[in-house]
Amino acid sequence: MTALDVPLAILAAAFLLALLRVAVGPSLADRAVGTEVCLVTVAGGIALLSARLDATHFLDAVVVAALLQFIATVALGRLLQRKEGE
């Protein structure tokens, strides 16, 4: 067991709790925040896994996850803004 196993387990727990927020969240804003947390934990988990395995080729996936997170943030922000205007 390495020192990176504990943070990976914590990120996995955070991902599951955020996924629960996405499923149960009473409002669209709660679901948006849950989605953001899910994407952040996936990117962080991939980065930690890359460090744990000493494999730099996983870092490309971290960049892709960060770009997807940015696009999702913009899309969810526009969706929430449109829902408020109704």
Side-chain angles (χ1 to χ4, degrees):
M1 186 160 142
T2 65
L4 294 175
D5 288 338
V6 174
L8 279 170
I10 291 171
L11 280 176
F15 179 81
L16 290 175
L17 289 172
L19 201 59
L20 181 68
R21 174 51 58 193
V22 170
V24 176
S27 70
L28 189 59
D30 288 332
R31 289 188 169 100
V33 169
T35 304
E36 292 297 315
V37 172
C38 284
L39 290 172
V40 168
T41 56
V42 165
I46 293 171
L48 282 175
L49 189 64
S50 174
R52 184 179 186 275
L53 298 177
D54 198 25
T56 57
H57 57 275
F58 285 130
L59 296 178
D60 294 336
V62 174
V63 172
V64 170
L67 289 172
L68 286 174
Q69 178 185 354
F70 174 73
I71 292 169
T73 301
V74 171
L76 286 170
R78 291 187 64 135
L79 179 68
L80 287 173
Q81 185 180 17
R82 191 178 324 145
K83 291 288 183 182
E84 282 181 1
E86 289 181 352

